[in-house]
Amino acid sequence: QLQLQESGSGRVKPSQTLSLTCAVFGGSISSGGYSYSWIRQPPGKGLEWVGYIYHNGSSYYNPSLKSRGTISVNRSKNQIYLKLSSVTAADTAVYYCARGGFLGDYDDYWGQGILVTVSS
Amino acid sequence: QSALTQPASVSGSPGQSITISCTGTSSDVGRYNFVSWYQQHPGKAPKLMIFEVTHRPLGVPHRFSGSKSDNTASLTISGLQTDDEADYYCSSYTSSGTLVFGGGTKLTVL
C-alpha cells in the first residue's frame, strides 16, 4: 500500500521560504509514470491546487502563486519537495502531497497533511 | 484561473439521492473529460471518489456516480448513508495544463 508523508517546518516567518518534503513509501516514484502534486487547504476553507511534477520532470504551478513555487524530486531518496518563497499569512494552510495519474488530473493517494503557519 | 462553482451545501435523508453540480468553462470542464470528485471528512485528507468524469476507483461504492454535460459536471450519491456526510470537491484539468478545484459542497445527511 502506497503511503505519503509530509514533513517540514510548521512555522515560517513572513517573507521567508516555506520548505516541505513528501516521503513516499511502498512504491518507487521512478516507476509507473505517475505525477506528484501539492495541494493546500487554508484553515476552514477549500482545497487549492499548488502544482505538480510529471514523471518526465516538467512541472506546472497555480498562476496565483506568481512564480513563487518550486516542486522537485529526489529519486534516490524517493522524495518530492515543495519550496514556496516570499510567504505571507495567506500561505497559512494544511499542505498535502498526493500521487496522481499521468496527467495529474486526479490524485489517488494522499498524505495526511502538514499545517504550516506563517507568522512572525 | 477561477475556481469551479459548486453549491455551498446540499442535504438529503438516508436512502435518498442527491446531486452536486460543478460548473466550469469551455477551457476546463467543458473541454476535457478530466473531472474528478473528492470526499473529505473533518480533519482528514481528501479521498478520490470519481476520476475522469465517470470512473470509480477500486473500493468506492457504486452509489457514487459522475456525469458531465457541457461545462457542468455532476456527482450523484444514491442511497444516502450517514457516513456520506462530508465535504465534496470537484476538480478539472485546464487548457493551461493546470488543475483547478471547486469551492466545495457540504453534504448534510438529515
Side-chain angles (χ1 to χ4, degrees):
Chain A
Q1 176 79 346
L2 194 75
Q3 291 185 330
L4 296 86
Q5 185 171 345
E6 304 90 348
S7 63
S9 176
R11 184 174 296 273
V12 183
K13 293 183 178 180
S15 81
Q16 293 190 340
T17 296
L18 175 160
S19 296
L20 297 176
T21 298
C22 175
V24 178
F25 303 97
S28 170
I29 64 173
S30 297
S31 63
Y34 299 106
S35 62
Y36 287 86
S37 302
W38 287 94
I39 297 111
R40 68 183 184 180
Q41 186 170 34
K45 296 188 177 181
L47 300 174
E48 181 183 29
W49 178 74
V50 174
Y52 45 47
I53 187 164
Y54 284 155
H55 187 259
N56 65 3
S58 60
S59 54
Y60 291 80
Y61 303 92
N62 191 322
S64 70
L65 296 181
K66 299 179 181 177
S67 303
R68 296 187 296 122
T70 302
I71 298 174
S72 58
V73 301
N74 183 320
R75 299 188 187 281
S76 64
K77 291 187 175 181
N78 224 36
Q79 294 177 342
I80 302 101
Y81 309 99
L82 171 67
K83 290 190 183 299
L84 188 62
S85 63
S86 305
V87 297
T88 69
D91 296 308
T92 294
V94 174
Y95 285 76
Y96 296 99
C97 68
R99 189 196 78 170
F102 177 79
L103 198 60
D105 59 294
Y106 65 87
D107 293 291
D108 52 359
Y109 288 93
W110 293 64
Q112 82 280 6
I114 181 170
L115 174 63
V116 179
T117 302
V118 178
S119 172
S120 55
Chain B
Q1 56 192 27
S2 299
L4 307 176
T5 300
Q6 296 182 234
S9 62
V10 299
S11 62
S13 300
Q16 287 186 334
S17 295
I18 62 95
T19 297
I20 300 172
S21 61
C22 170
T23 301
T25 69
S26 58
S27 296
D28 39 62
V29 175
R31 183 162 181 165
Y32 305 101
N33 287 328
F34 294 136
V35 176
S36 302
W37 289 91
Y38 298 88
Q39 176 192 66
Q40 186 181 35
H41 286 109
K44 301 293 187 181
K47 175 186 177 183
L48 179 67
M49 305 302 285
I50 296 287
F51 66 100
E52 292 170 5
V53 179
T54 62
H55 295 86
R56 273 184 309 275
L58 213 58
V60 173
H62 283 64
R63 302 185 296 104
F64 292 83
S65 62
S67 62
K68 193 188 83 166
S69 177
D70 296 328
N71 295 340
T72 298
S74 298
L75 172 71
T76 297
I77 309 174
S78 58
L80 269 179
Q81 299 180 0
T82 54
D83 189 51
D84 297 335
E85 185 163 295
D87 293 326
Y88 290 84
Y89 295 91
C90 62
S91 71
S92 175
Y93 184 76
T94 80
S95 59
S96 302
T98 61
L99 199 75
V100 61
F101 279 97
T105 298
K106 181 177 181 59
L107 169 62
T108 301
V109 181
L110 303 169

